[in-house]
Amino acid sequence: MRMIEQQGALYGVVLAGGTGTRLWPLSRAGHPKFLHPLTGTDASLLQATVDRMDQLSSSDRVFVVTGVAHAAEVVRQLTEVPADNVLIEPSPRDSCAAIALAAAVIARREPEAIMGAFASDHLIADKAQFTRVIQQAMGGARQGLLMTLGITPTRPETGYGYLECGSVVGDGPVMAVQEFKEKPTYDVAESYVKSGNYLWNAGMFVWRVDVFLAELSRQQPQLAAGISRIAQAWDSPAREEVLGEVWPTLPRISVDYAVMEGAATVGRVGTIPGDFGWNDVGDFHTLGEVLVSDHAGNVVVGNEADGSKAGVLLRETENLVVVPTPGRLVAALGVRDLVIVDTPDAVLVCPRDRAQEVKSLVDALKDTDRLHYI
Amino acid sequence: MRMIEQQGALYGVVLAGGTGTRLWPLSRAGHPKFLHPLTGTDASLLQATVDRMDQLSSSDRVFVVTGVAHAAEVVRQLTEVPADNVLIEPSPRDSCAAIALAAAVIARREPEAIMGAFASDHLIADKAQFTRVIQQAMGGARQGLLMTLGITPTRPETGYGYLECGSVVGDGPVMAVQEFKEKPTYDVAESYVKSGNYLWNAGMFVWRVDVFLAELSRQQPQLAAGISRIAQAWDSPAREEVLGEVWPTLPRISVDYAVMEGAATVGRVGTIPGDFGWNDVGDFHTLGEVLVSDHAGNVVVGNEADGSKAGVLLRETENLVVVPTPGRLVAALGVRDLVIVDTPDAVLVCPRDRAQEVKSLVDALKDTDRLHYI
């Protein structure tokens, strides 16, 4: 990672949690989505998320928050991130606690630091535009706003939350966010898209750590007090003991509910519409839409577009999303619009337009007590 | 296997050769079709072929002709067949040499023995009817005819040879075979089926060994002489040496071309129409047609019809043919009319109606030098 000027550089916080059951059988409890090379290159989603910040931050300013189950693999994948920047949650406490911990640890180093919080399992096609948007968001953050990145919606998606935009702040490009809207029905989503006044809530945030922690104290005093206790012990021998004692008492709540909704109500949230090819890699169909395909629309994940390096043999196939596994061959003949995912112990076949329902297979495996496949 | 009366019992000869490339990736050069449990039970096709003769023969009268690559596995699967009844060809020499060797070895034990020759990789649904038909064929064989079993055609299949029937012999049910017809075009096959005078050539033969060997001498003197030399050395210390010297000189020719066509021309071939649910398990679609399916038409091969014992998870699927592999899971959601075959190192997905083209994938693997998958 390139070292950029220290003054004003971003602290990048990567949230490496969640399993991604709609990406089963690739994504497992033991090896979740963000650890997999679903990027069209050899890089995992996690690695790509860190690499993406190389014009904004420096390696020593990149933090990762992850759980005990995956911390070792996270450290192994992120060779340039200092070990002490990997913050390991003793148990899952949702995004507010994770983000607050990172903010508090960063604040000890630089009280008015600007941090960005990013999911570890999203794809972004246009890095240059992403960099520009984050720099604009950092401008809003310097003015004391909690910035959330909004994505200009391209369809009436019912799987995302929305941001209702207000007026432009100053000369722009920052816009005020009036209200956070939960996942809408299709009709409501359609009206949002038509109005032109709503953005998808992509769950990426940029703010000054002191501003965020103050808003946390105002809205979530218990959580803020707990994080404060942990932060005070962070650089002392008592870190593990205090973390182990306090962390389990923190409320499980998302940062949207805990802080952002209430902050928007009092006019403290801003956004930048971010048109940088954002994709949340929610399922294999979506993944296939953003990766490079061959002339017949087939996408082979984790390998060259023509599948030449991968263990695949495709003959008269169209619009497949194929995920091969090392040392095994996926052969397909005369099929189209299918997802075929191969792993060392399970293979999945389903139509691309039902890729979201893969989650139901995971439920069925639970119901039939085949937990080793989950 | 039940011991039946020695006098007049059948010598059953099982031809365990061929790889079955249309059943790739299950059937491999190293583990061909006949060794696999494609029967709807735990039995392999080979084991089922031997078991099927238990009302006709006795274990000590069952012979198997196989190649050096698979002999060990054949012996292991057929625990009741005497080791000396497993005839191992030093190299592949097509069906005439294999059948002639068995006939000559049997003739040394019982000169006028009746032998039946059967492929090791066919399925037969109605064993009782099969037993009756073979007993009728043995009647024809006793009269000095070379009997070939004919299957009443159910469709204008272009993948099989046909038998043109002549008049009924005596009081029946034996019918004379006028001519062997090679694989026809679709139009010709249609005319055969309409005429009612043609049967599929299933490649199952019943005859007296002396009658067959005489006809072999008449039509294939070189091959007959070679087999005679081998047979004379069979029960001596010179067996291996003579076999190794003579076998490679034998012509590669099928028994149909070498003997049966010429014998039919001179009126020495008879047939019994055999309606016992014959299936040559030529491809996975065909296999799916003969095995028990669940209520939605899904067939899980090698396991209970409902897949309960197998590593499968089928959700809203129809008319699948699924071949799982031990220790792995095949999950399918919302797909129909597909073949899904999983093996320890490769998985195949194709539509049932293109199952015959699987052979082309094997060719493609050869062309791309991925020989370890073949």
Side-chain angles (χ1 to χ4, degrees):
Chain A
M1 181 176 280
R2 206 184 74 157
M3 293 299 285
I4 64 161
E5 44 160 349
Q6 292 298 298
Q7 189 61 21
L10 183 77
Y11 282 80
V13 175
V14 177
L15 305 170
T19 53
T21 50
R22 283 173 302 164
L23 291 176
W24 182 90
L26 190 70
S27 184
R28 304 284 180 101
H31 203 70
K33 180 177 159 188
F34 57 81
L35 294 174
H36 288 278
L38 299 175
T39 58
T41 73
D42 289 341
S44 71
L45 286 167
L46 173 68
Q47 290 170 321
T49 302
V50 171
D51 292 346
R52 190 181 300 131
M53 294 190 288
D54 67 355
Q55 304 296 309
L56 295 161
S57 187
S58 54
S59 296
D60 67 316
R61 294 183 181 204
V62 171
F63 286 74
V64 185
V65 188
T66 192
V68 291
H70 311 304
E73 186 65 21
V74 165
V75 169
R76 196 150 290 162
Q77 286 201 0
L78 301 178
T79 51
E80 295 189 53
V81 173
D84 209 41
N85 286 16
V86 178
L87 312 183
I88 305 175
E89 305 171 286
S91 57
R93 277 289 171 280
D94 215 325
S95 62
C96 191
I99 287 174
L101 175 64
V105 169
I106 292 167
R108 287 176 59 84
R109 197 191 291 184
E110 189 179 326
E112 296 188 1
I114 295 175
M115 73 174 258
F118 306 101
S120 59
D121 55 2
H122 294 175
L123 274 178
I124 284 169
D126 186 345
K127 190 180 110 176
Q129 179 63 9
F130 171 78
T131 301
R132 275 191 293 276
V133 167
I134 297 298
Q135 285 164 338
Q136 292 169 341
M138 289 169 73
R142 279 189 204 97
Q143 297 170 45
L145 290 171
L146 300 180
M147 297 297 295
T148 182
L149 264 57
I151 308 294
T152 306
T154 53
R155 60 184 187 273
E157 172 67 50
T158 59
Y160 304 148
Y162 285 70
L163 307 172
E164 184 185 359
C165 298
S167 53
V168 171
V169 176
D171 299 333
V174 176
M175 297 167 73
V177 172
Q178 286 194 309
E179 201 173 335
F180 280 70
K181 300 284 192 184
E182 293 188 41
K183 292 175 185 176
T185 62
Y186 187 86
D187 289 347
V188 171
E190 213 167 24
S191 72
Y192 286 172
V193 175
K194 272 188 192 149
S195 80
N197 201 35
Y198 290 78
L199 300 170
W200 286 336
N201 176 12
M204 291 184 276
F205 308 104
V206 179
W207 50 55
R208 270 185 16 216
V209 290
D210 57 334
V211 173
F212 173 77
L213 291 169
E215 193 63 23
L216 183 74
S217 285
R218 184 178 76 82
Q219 293 191 58
Q220 305 288 336
Q222 190 214 332
L223 206 161
I227 290 293
S228 176
R229 274 194 64 197
I230 293 168
Q232 279 162 31
W234 197 255
D235 294 315
S236 81
R239 183 202 291 190
E240 282 200 328
E241 200 173 322
V242 173
L243 191 63
E245 181 195 328
V246 176
W247 190 265
T249 70
L250 300 180
R252 278 178 184 260
I253 187 168
S254 77
V255 73
D256 297 74
Y257 285 111
V259 176
M260 299 306 285
E261 292 186 3
T265 310
V266 295
R268 292 178 187 160
V269 178
T271 188
I272 307 279
D275 299 321
F276 37 66
W278 173 79
N279 188 290
D280 74 342
V281 196
D283 57 62
F284 288 111
H285 169 60
T286 309
L287 180 65
E289 285 189 320
V290 290
L291 298 184
V292 180
S293 62
D294 69 11
H295 64 283
N298 302 299
V299 171
V300 177
V301 176
N303 284 279
E304 304 302 311
D306 66 355
S308 59
K309 282 168 61 186
V312 297
L313 174 59
L314 306 182
R315 202 175 183 89
E316 296 173 40
T317 64
E318 284 175 47
N319 292 319
L320 301 187
V321 179
V322 179
V323 185
T325 197
R328 286 177 48 83
L329 177 73
V330 175
L333 162 76
V335 288
R336 54 179 301 161
D337 302 317
L338 290 183
V339 168
I340 305 175
V341 182
D342 196 25
T343 70
D345 66 350
V347 60
L348 164 73
V349 180
C350 80
R352 286 184 67 157
D353 63 9
R354 299 189 67 175
Q356 298 235 358
E357 296 173 51
V358 166
K359 203 175 169 178
S360 73
L361 296 177
V362 177
D363 295 337
L365 288 170
K366 278 181 196 156
D367 294 346
T368 55
D369 215 27
R370 290 186 271 187
L371 304 178
H372 52 292
Y373 288 117
I374 299 177
Chain B
M1 181 177 282
R2 206 185 74 158
M3 292 299 284
I4 65 160
E5 44 161 349
Q6 293 297 299
Q7 190 59 22
L10 182 77
Y11 282 80
V13 175
V14 177
L15 304 171
T19 53
T21 49
R22 283 174 302 165
L23 290 176
W24 182 90
L26 190 70
S27 184
R28 305 284 180 102
H31 203 69
K33 181 178 160 189
F34 57 81
L35 295 173
H36 288 278
L38 299 175
T39 57
T41 73
D42 289 341
S44 70
L45 286 168
L46 174 67
Q47 290 170 320
T49 301
V50 172
D51 291 347
R52 190 182 299 130
M53 294 190 289
D54 67 354
Q55 305 296 308
L56 296 162
S57 188
S58 55
S59 297
D60 67 316
R61 294 185 181 203
V62 171
F63 285 75
V64 185
V65 188
T66 191
V68 291
H70 311 304
E73 187 66 21
V74 166
V75 169
R76 198 151 286 161
Q77 285 201 1
L78 301 179
T79 52
E80 295 189 52
V81 172
D84 208 41
N85 287 15
V86 179
L87 311 184
I88 304 175
E89 304 173 287
S91 58
R93 277 289 172 279
D94 214 326
S95 62
C96 192
I99 287 175
L101 175 64
V105 169
I106 292 168
R108 288 176 60 84
R109 197 191 293 184
E110 190 179 324
E112 297 188 359
I114 295 176
M115 72 173 257
F118 306 101
S120 59
D121 55 3
H122 294 176
L123 274 177
I124 285 169
D126 186 345
K127 189 179 112 178
Q129 179 63 10
F130 170 78
T131 301
R132 274 191 294 275
V133 167
I134 297 297
Q135 284 164 338
Q136 291 170 344
M138 289 169 74
R142 277 188 206 97
Q143 297 170 44
L145 289 170
L146 299 181
M147 298 296 297
T148 181
L149 263 58
I151 308 294
T152 306
T154 54
R155 60 182 187 275
E157 172 67 50
T158 59
Y160 303 148
Y162 285 71
L163 308 171
E164 184 185 358
C165 297
S167 54
V168 171
V169 177
D171 300 334
V174 176
M175 297 167 72
V177 171
Q178 285 194 307
E179 201 173 335
F180 280 70
K181 300 285 192 185
E182 292 187 42
K183 293 175 185 177
T185 62
Y186 188 86
D187 289 347
V188 171
E190 214 168 25
S191 73
Y192 287 171
V193 175
K194 272 188 191 150
S195 79
N197 200 34
Y198 290 79
L199 301 170
W200 287 335
N201 176 13
M204 292 184 276
F205 307 105
V206 179
W207 50 54
R208 268 184 18 214
V209 290
D210 57 334
V211 173
F212 173 76
L213 290 170
E215 192 64 22
L216 184 73
S217 286
R218 184 177 77 82
Q219 294 193 56
Q220 306 288 336
Q222 189 214 334
L223 207 161
I227 290 291
S228 176
R229 274 193 65 195
I230 294 168
Q232 279 162 31
W234 197 257
D235 294 316
S236 82
R239 183 201 290 189
E240 282 200 328
E241 201 174 320
V242 174
L243 191 62
E245 181 195 328
V246 176
W247 191 264
T249 70
L250 300 180
R252 278 177 185 259
I253 188 168
S254 78
V255 72
D256 296 74
Y257 285 112
V259 176
M260 299 306 286
E261 292 186 2
T265 308
V266 295
R268 292 178 189 163
V269 178
T271 187
I272 306 279
D275 299 320
F276 37 65
W278 173 78
N279 188 292
D280 74 342
V281 196
D283 57 62
F284 288 111
H285 169 60
T286 310
L287 180 64
E289 285 189 320
V290 290
L291 298 184
V292 180
S293 63
D294 69 12
H295 64 284
N298 303 299
V299 171
V300 178
V301 176
N303 285 279
E304 304 302 311
D306 65 355
S308 59
K309 282 167 61 189
V312 296
L313 174 58
L314 306 182
R315 201 174 184 89
E316 297 173 39
T317 64
E318 285 176 49
N319 293 320
L320 301 187
V321 178
V322 179
V323 185
T325 197
R328 286 177 47 84
L329 177 72
V330 175
L333 163 75
V335 287
R336 54 179 300 159
D337 302 317
L338 290 182
V339 168
I340 305 175
V341 182
D342 196 23
T343 71
D345 67 349
V347 60
L348 164 74
V349 181
C350 79
R352 286 183 66 156
D353 62 9
R354 299 190 68 175
Q356 298 234 358
E357 297 172 52
V358 165
K359 202 175 170 178
S360 72
L361 295 177
V362 176
D363 295 337
L365 288 170
K366 279 181 195 155
D367 294 345
T368 54
D369 214 29
R370 289 186 272 189
L371 303 177
H372 52 293
Y373 288 118
I374 299 176

